[in-house]
Amino acid sequence: MLAAGVSIAALAACTPETPVASPAAAPSPSGPQTATSTPAVATTTAVPAPAASAAPPSSTPPSGALSQKYSLSDPASQWVIVNKHRPLTPLQFAPADLVQPRVELAVSGEASLLNSTTAAAAEKLFAGAASAGVNMTLASGYRSFQTQTATYNGYVTSRGQASADTASARPGFSEHQTGWAFDIGDGGGACSFQPCFAEQPAAVWAKANAFKYGFVVRYPWMLHEITGYYYEPWHLRFVGVEAATDMANRGIGTLEEYFGLEAAPGYL
Ligand SMILES: [Zn+2]
């Protein structure tokens, strides 16, 4: 069980204490992104699902097997892609169907909520873990725009923006605001939100089995140049069984690659 103060720190640490100095995060708020040149993508204009509109299914990385079933831009879509290039639209989106899943909770309040689809899938995921003898807790779920603003601004005040950007998503840029994502713990706490969580049974089990329940480990090891975040073995994202299984079968680690979207290593 996390003490209140601990859980606040844990929330913010969802983008983890980085194992090394963070070369990936664009250190300056205005630092141009050079990895991929995107002519006119304003930060406030969510890239409107380029994979869906611009690219024919046959010529792009998105699954040859799955058609574009769901929007990549609508935050209410299970395929919405939120990253440092793709804020939620609207920025202050809040899910209409937040519920508290019947799983072991390590938090209370809004952080114990998920959207209804994710909550139902989480209940099955946790039951699957339990039946394998793995202890799993819900460590952090939904986070409102207001909460994210307070968290992020706290980091900016204490460390400056460059450092804040390595520790906390900017308001409107967090997957936690969609209700489709949550962080797991194992009830122990020693490695919660720490790199060593990767070796804990809950993370090992989730990495191997989460796809069966429709979840992906959203920020895999060594793919931060694509996702914008260092490895977070605790952060799971619901995309549905079909897509998660397809990604697992094909060895595709990130949603950006799966849906043929540009890498988003830092804010634009
Ligand atoms: Zn998270």
Side-chain angles (χ1 to χ4, degrees):
M1 208 52 184
L2 296 173
V6 174
S7 79
I8 294 296
L11 289 179
C14 183
T15 306
E17 304 301 317
T18 53
V20 278
S22 49
S28 153
S30 58
Q33 196 54 60
T34 51
T36 50
S37 73
T38 46
V41 179
T43 308
T44 48
T45 310
V47 184
S53 51
S58 56
S59 66
T60 51
S63 161
L66 294 184
S67 56
Q68 189 70 54
K69 282 188 173 177
Y70 307 103
S71 168
L72 303 184
S73 305
D74 178 358
S77 158
Q78 68 188 45
W79 283 3
V80 67
I81 308 300
V82 177
N83 61 31
K84 290 177 177 176
H85 290 189
R86 298 173 59 93
L88 278 77
T89 308
L91 208 59
Q92 301 196 28
F93 171 83
D97 59 342
L98 290 170
V99 295
Q100 189 176 74
R102 287 163 293 186
V103 301
E104 188 181 344
L105 301 173
V107 285
S108 58
E110 73 171 27
S112 70
L113 306 177
L114 301 169
N115 72 37
S116 59
T117 304
T118 305
E123 289 173 357
K124 293 177 183 170
L125 174 85
F126 279 60
S131 68
V134 172
N135 194 26
M136 188 177 285
T137 62
L138 175 59
S140 181
Y142 173 63
R143 202 174 307 151
S144 66
F145 179 86
Q146 290 74 15
T147 298
Q148 193 70 33
T149 300
T151 302
Y152 178 77
N153 288 347
Y155 273 92
V156 171
T157 299
S158 63
R159 326 170 158 193
Q161 184 168 35
S163 177
D165 280 339
T166 70
S168 172
R170 292 181 185 174
F173 288 79
S174 173
E175 254 194 357
H176 284 271
Q177 192 183 323
T178 67
W180 294 114
F182 59 87
D183 303 318
I184 58 169
D186 61 7
C191 284
S192 291
F193 299 97
Q194 302 296 322
C196 62
F197 187 70
E199 284 86 52
Q200 302 306 306
V204 171
W205 186 88
K207 184 179 179 183
N209 297 285
F211 73 91
K212 300 170 189 171
Y213 304 87
F215 292 93
V216 298
V217 177
R218 176 69 174 96
Y219 307 118
W221 174 247
M222 292 303 288
L223 294 177
H224 53 274
E225 292 284 2
I226 297 172
T227 65
Y229 295 95
Y230 285 98
Y231 187 28
E232 294 194 356
W234 51 83
H235 182 107
L236 304 183
R237 160 66 197 274
F238 183 82
V239 293
V241 173
E242 189 180 13
T245 301
D246 194 34
M247 286 177 68
N249 288 343
R250 299 166 63 192
I252 298 174
T254 69
L255 296 179
E256 284 80 7
E257 293 167 290
Y258 187 63
F259 290 113
L261 302 176
E262 67 186 18
Y267 294 105
L268 295 169

